[in-house]
Structure formats: C-alpha cells, structure tokens
C-alpha cells in the first residue's frame, strides 16, 4: 500500500483529474448557448468586403446565433446576449384631425427585436444592455406616427375605420423601427375621445334621428296593432256568430236525437227485457242440465265408490279369513307338536326319574344291608337343617315380637337352644341316639358313604336295563308319578 502511494501513479491520476477539471472549466467558459427568447452576437472577426455588380458591399464580422450553442475563441471573440421578447407598449396621443378637432386616441402596440440577423445586429448596436430604451424609442416613434395619421384624416373616419388608422400608423412607423432593428407585431386602437364632447354631439343628431325614426316606427306599429286588434275583434265576432249558429244547429240535432231516443227507449227496453227473459230461460235450462249431470255424476260416483268399497271389503275379508284359517291351522299344528313334545319329554323325564329312584333305592337297600346304622345316622344328620327350620317357622310368621325377660333379646337364642335340647332328648329317648352322638359318629358315616360309592361302582350301569326292572321298582315309579 505504501509502495503504491510512493509510486508516481497517484500523482499521475491527480494530474489527470486536475487536467480534466481545467478542460471542463475552460470548455464551459468558451461555450455559450442562447435561450429560446435570446440571441447571441459573437464579435471579434473582421468584416468582409465583396463587389457585386460594381458595388462594394461590406459584410459585418458580427455573428448572430439564435436558439443554439457555440464555442468562442478566448481572448479574440466575445459573446453578448440580447432579448427577443415581445413588449406591450401603451400609447396615448393627443392630436387634431384635418378638421381641427382635438382628439385623444389610446392604443396598444406589441414591439420586439426583429428575427433576421441584420435586425438583431442593428438592435444590438443601439440597445445592447439598455432594454428600457427600446420601450421609450418605440413609444416615441409610434406616438409620432399616430399623431401624423390622425392629422391626415377626420374624426368620423377614425371612428368608423380604426383598422385603416392602425395600418397607416404601422406603415409610417415600421421603417423607422426597422432601422433600429425593431418590429411591430400588432397595433390596436383602444379608445377615441375629446374634451369638448364633439363626438358626443355628433351622436346626438344621429340619436335624434334614430329616436324620431323610432317614434314614427312606434306610432306606425301602434296603428297597425290597433288595426290588427280591430280586425281580430271583428274576426272574433264573426267566429262567435258562426259558433252560435253552429251551436243552435247542434242543439236542434241534439233535441231531435233526444226525442227519437225518448221514443225508442221503451221499445229498446222491451226488446232488452225479451232478450233478458230468453237468456234467463236458456240459463235455467243449462242450469237444470248442469244440475242433472251433477246429480248423475254424484250418484254414479257414490254407487261406484260403494261397489268398490264392498268389493275391496269382500276381498279383504276373504283374504283375512284364509289367512286366519291358515294361521289357526299352523297354530293348532304347533300346539299339537308342542303338546306331543311336552308329553314325550314328561314321559322321558318320569321314566328317567323312576329309573334313577329305583337305582337309588336299590343302592340304599344294599347300603342299609351293609351299613344300616351309619346310613340311619347320616339320614338323621341330613334332617337336622329341616328340623331347625321347623323350629324357627313359628317365629318367622310373627310381625312384631315383644320379649319379656330380664335377659333381653338373648332370650330368643336361649329358646332356640332349648328347642334343640328338647329335640336331642326326644331322639335319645326314642332312638337311643342324640345329636351329639350323631355328630360324633359323622366321620364313621362318611366312611360308610365311601363304601356305598364303591359298591355302586362295582355294578355297571348297563347290566340292568330299565325294561328289566323288578315289579317292586315299577310299583315305586307309579307311586311317585301319582
């Protein structure tokens, strides 16, 4: 980085930038341009002389540039700007016409520097840097030309032909202005007046003449209007007379028509009544026919509906009877099948129960034959819950129980225990075996039961068919069935 700064390259770049800036500033200083309302006059060149047809013409060395830019040579050429804008100049001139009447004429002129290079050079030579002098010079020249033109004509011409006065002023002043490099775009007369009311007096005669003509015309118009009014009234009277006659004729026709209408009215009413009666008869006949048709339609509709109802009812009743018969038949079949099945089931159940009871009785007899005492004890143990139930049955039917005892509610349990004691004493006295003895020998009864089970398994169930039962077994089965 430092090597680059110490090298000559940065210096060369700086010099190039400075040279560019200097060239830019120099070009700006030597380049001049003119606006759209300006013109440049470039001076510094020598004038040229040329000979045309033996006459020597000198061409100015001044160069005129309009609406563009140009480079100038420094130290040898200079550029000056001059405005080309239009200027409105108010002019008031007091002068006497050729009849000696003093008039005051007001006008406005539009003045500007000419467009051609010679006019621009002439204006630059005289008014460069002094634009206000253009207004003053143009004002003086145009005022003089206006006064001169007023003196050459009369007031009536000025009043009636203002354009001619303006053209005369321009024709007189244009040459003087062109010598100064100026041009007039337009010149208009704004107003004409005089201090002695001459123009007003000139108008009075005309006004009187016009007023007189107007009065005559007014009288003539009034007379014509009156004549027209009279003619109109006459026409109105004639029209009213004609109208009255016409109304009378119309009234006559109306009365005649009214009389005819009055005479024709009863006849017309009679004819109308006849027509009404005929129409009523036709209406009554049509109404009767319509009512007859309605009654026939109603009767037929009712009969058809009743026949249809009876037919549908009969068909429905027949279908219902067939359905009911089928249902009753199926129901009876079902009931018969159920009764038969139930009877068969009852018979099978009775047969099975009888066979089972017979087998149980046989086994019990065999067990009694083998272990009679233990079996009796077992039966007595099985009866103990039923005995207890029978002892408590009277108490279960009691809704409200009042215990009168010093022991309270525990008296009930004592009573139950006393009942069991009485049962134990009864068994001991009648069978020689008490409840304690039964419970003590329950183990022996269990062994006896095992012996019975073994005895039952020794004999196969198929050796003895139900049909081969003994007469005692059959008797037992019948008894149980009954």
């Amino acid at each position: 980085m430092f090597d680059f700064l110490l090298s000559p390259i940065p210096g060369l770049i700086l010099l190039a930038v400075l040279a560019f800036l200097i060239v830019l500033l120099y070009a700006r200083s030597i380049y001049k341009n003119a606006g759209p309302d300006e013109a440049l006059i470039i001076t510094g060149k020598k004038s040229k002389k040329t000979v045309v047809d033996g006459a020597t013409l000198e061409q100015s060395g001044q160069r005129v540039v309009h609406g563009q830019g140009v480079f100038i040579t420094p130290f040898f050429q200079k550029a000056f700007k001059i405005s080309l804008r239009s200027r409105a100049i108010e002019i008031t001139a007091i002068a006497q016409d050729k009849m000696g009447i003093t008039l005051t004429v007001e006008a406005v002129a539009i003045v500007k520097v000419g467009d051609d290079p010679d006019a621009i050079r002439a204006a630059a030579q005289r008014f460069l840097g002094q634009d206000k002098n253009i207004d003053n010079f143009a004002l003086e020249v145009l005022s003089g030309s206006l006064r001169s033109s007023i003196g050459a004509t009369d007031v009536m011409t000025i009043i009636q032909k203002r354009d001619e006065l303006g053209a005369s002023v321009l024709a007189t002043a244009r040459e003087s202005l062109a010598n100064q490099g100026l041009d007039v775009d337009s010149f208009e007369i704004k107003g004409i007046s005089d201090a002695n009311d001459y123009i007003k007096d000139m108008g009075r005669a005309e006004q009187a003449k016009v007023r007189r003509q107007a009065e005559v015309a007014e009288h003539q118009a009034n007379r014509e209007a009156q004549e027209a009014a009279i003619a109109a009234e006459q026409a109105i009277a004639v029209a009213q007379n004609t109208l009255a006659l016409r109304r009378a004729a119309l009234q006559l026709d109306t009365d005649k028509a009214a009389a005819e209408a009055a005479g024709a009215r009863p006849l017309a009413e009679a004819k109308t009544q006849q027509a009404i009666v005929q129409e009523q008869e036709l209406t009554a006949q049509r109404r009767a026919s319509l009512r007859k048709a309605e009654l026939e339609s109603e009767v037929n509709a009712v009969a058809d509906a009743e026949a249809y109802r009876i037919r549908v009812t009969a068909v429905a009743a027949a279908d219902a009877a067939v359905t009911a018969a089928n249902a009753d038949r199926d129901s009876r079949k079902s009931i018969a099948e159920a009764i038969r099945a139930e009877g068969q089931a009852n018979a099978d159940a009775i047969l099975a129960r009888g066979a089972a009871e017979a087998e149980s009785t046989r086994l019990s007899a065999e067990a009694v034959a083998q272990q009679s005492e233990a079996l009796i004890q077992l039966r007595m143990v099985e009866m103990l819950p039923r005995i207890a139930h029978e002892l408590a049955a009277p108490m279960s039917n009691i809704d409200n129980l009042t215990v009168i005892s010093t022991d309270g509610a525990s008296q009930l349990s004592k009573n139950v225990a006393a009942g069991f004691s009485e049962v134990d004493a009864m068994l001991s006295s009648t069978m020689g075996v008490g409840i304690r003895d039964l419970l003590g020998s329950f183990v022996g009864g269990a062994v006896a039961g095992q012996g019975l089970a073994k005895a039952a398994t020794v004999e196969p169930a198929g050796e003895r068919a139900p049909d081969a039962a003994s007469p005692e077994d059959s008797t037992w089965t019948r008894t149980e069935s009954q």
Side-chain angles (χ1 to χ4, degrees):
M1 182 66 181
F2 292 101
D3 295 337
F4 176 75
L5 294 176
L6 295 176
S7 63
I9 297 176
L12 294 175
I13 294 173
L14 181 59
L15 289 177
V17 172
L18 291 176
F20 177 75
L21 293 176
I22 292 171
V23 170
L24 182 62
L25 294 174
Y26 177 74
R28 183 179 180 184
S29 63
I30 65 175
Y31 183 79
K32 304 294 180 179
N33 59 349
D37 59 345
E38 294 178 337
L40 290 176
I41 296 94
I42 311 299
T43 62
K45 288 185 178 182
K46 294 181 179 181
S47 58
K48 297 180 181 180
K49 294 182 179 181
T50 57
V51 178
V52 179
D53 297 334
T56 302
L57 300 177
E58 184 177 359
Q59 185 177 1
S60 175
Q62 298 177 358
R63 181 184 175 188
V64 177
V65 178
H66 182 207
Q68 60 183 354
V70 64
F71 285 98
I72 62 174
T73 303
F75 308 109
F76 299 102
Q77 293 179 340
K78 289 184 178 181
F80 301 93
K81 290 184 178 181
I82 186 171
S83 177
L84 304 179
R85 295 178 181 176
S86 299
R87 308 163 189 272
I89 300 174
E90 299 287 340
I91 302 170
T92 301
I94 300 174
Q96 291 82 23
D97 64 354
K98 64 180 182 179
M99 298 176 64
I101 301 170
T102 301
L103 300 175
T104 300
V105 179
E106 297 178 357
V108 61
I110 305 300
V111 181
K112 68 180 187 62
V113 176
D115 294 330
D116 60 286
D118 292 336
I120 294 173
R121 292 190 191 98
Q125 290 174 3
R126 294 167 177 81
F127 305 109
L128 188 63
Q130 300 177 358
D131 291 345
K132 293 183 179 180
N133 291 335
I134 296 176
D135 297 346
N136 296 331
F137 177 78
L139 178 60
E140 294 297 332
V141 172
L142 292 173
S143 297
S145 299
L146 180 57
R147 286 191 293 270
S148 175
S149 298
I150 292 172
T153 184
D154 57 7
V155 64
M156 187 58 68
T157 304
I158 294 172
I159 293 172
Q160 295 178 353
K161 299 178 180 180
R162 295 189 180 189
D163 295 338
E164 292 183 1
L165 178 62
S168 176
V169 171
L170 291 177
T172 304
R174 192 180 296 277
E175 185 177 356
S176 300
L177 294 173
N179 292 333
Q180 304 298 320
L182 304 177
D183 190 15
V184 180
D185 286 341
S186 66
F187 184 87
E188 299 293 337
I189 303 296
K190 294 174 59 178
I192 303 171
S193 63
D194 67 294
N196 298 320
D197 295 334
Y198 178 80
I199 298 175
K200 185 177 180 181
D201 293 338
M202 290 176 60
R204 289 177 62 185
E206 187 65 24
Q207 290 177 0
K209 180 181 178 181
V210 171
R211 186 180 298 111
R212 185 171 58 252
Q213 293 177 355
E215 291 176 355
V216 172
E218 184 179 1
H219 291 303
Q220 182 67 23
N222 290 334
R223 183 178 63 81
E224 293 177 355
Q226 291 178 359
E227 292 177 354
I230 293 170
E233 291 179 358
Q234 292 176 355
I236 291 172
V238 173
Q240 289 178 350
N241 187 20
T242 304
L243 179 60
L245 295 175
R246 181 59 179 166
R247 284 180 178 176
L250 292 175
Q251 185 64 37
L252 180 60
D253 296 337
T254 303
D255 294 340
K256 182 179 180 181
E260 292 178 354
R265 181 175 181 180
L267 181 60
E269 291 178 353
K271 292 181 179 180
T272 304
Q273 291 296 330
Q274 292 177 1
I276 293 172
V277 170
Q278 292 178 358
E279 292 295 331
Q280 290 178 351
E281 291 178 354
L282 292 175
T283 302
Q285 293 176 1
R286 292 179 180 176
R287 189 175 299 167
S289 300
L290 178 61
R291 181 58 181 166
K292 181 179 178 183
E294 290 178 353
L295 292 175
E296 291 178 355
S297 177
E298 292 175 357
V299 171
N300 293 333
V302 171
D304 294 341
E306 184 65 20
Y308 178 75
R309 184 185 66 78
I310 294 172
R311 184 170 60 256
V312 172
T313 303
V315 172
D319 293 340
V322 172
T323 303
N326 293 331
D328 185 64
R329 183 193 60 191
D330 296 339
S331 176
R332 291 178 181 276
K333 287 183 178 180
S334 299
I335 292 172
E337 291 291 334
I339 292 173
R340 185 181 62 78
E342 183 180 2
Q344 184 67 33
N346 290 332
D348 294 341
I350 290 171
L351 181 62
R353 186 168 61 251
E357 290 178 354
E359 183 67 19
S360 175
T361 301
R362 186 182 63 80
L363 293 176
S364 296
E366 291 178 357
V368 168
Q370 296 178 4
Q371 301 287 339
S372 60
E373 185 179 358
L375 183 61
I376 292 170
Q377 293 178 357
L378 178 61
R379 294 295 186 185
M380 292 179 68
V381 171
E382 291 177 354
M383 292 297 293
L384 287 178
R386 183 174 297 178
I387 293 171
H389 176 72
E390 294 297 331
L391 289 175
M395 293 184 181
S396 64
N397 295 324
I398 298 173
D399 293 333
N400 294 321
L401 178 63
T402 302
V403 179
I404 302 173
S405 176
T406 58
D407 295 334
S410 62
Q411 184 63 34
L412 294 175
S413 61
K414 291 180 179 181
N415 292 335
V416 174
F420 272 101
S421 297
E422 293 178 358
V423 172
D424 182 43
M426 181 185 65
L427 292 176
S428 298
S429 61
T430 56
M431 301 186 67
V433 179
I435 295 175
R436 295 180 179 177
D437 296 335
L438 291 174
L439 294 175
S441 62
F442 182 74
V443 175
V447 172
Q450 292 178 359
L452 292 174
K454 290 180 179 180
T457 56
V458 169
E459 184 180 358
E463 289 181 0
R464 186 177 180 180
D467 296 335
S470 62
E472 293 82 2
D473 293 337
S474 301
T475 304
W476 174 260
T477 301
R478 287 193 300 270
T479 304
E480 289 296 324
S481 300
Q482 293 174 357

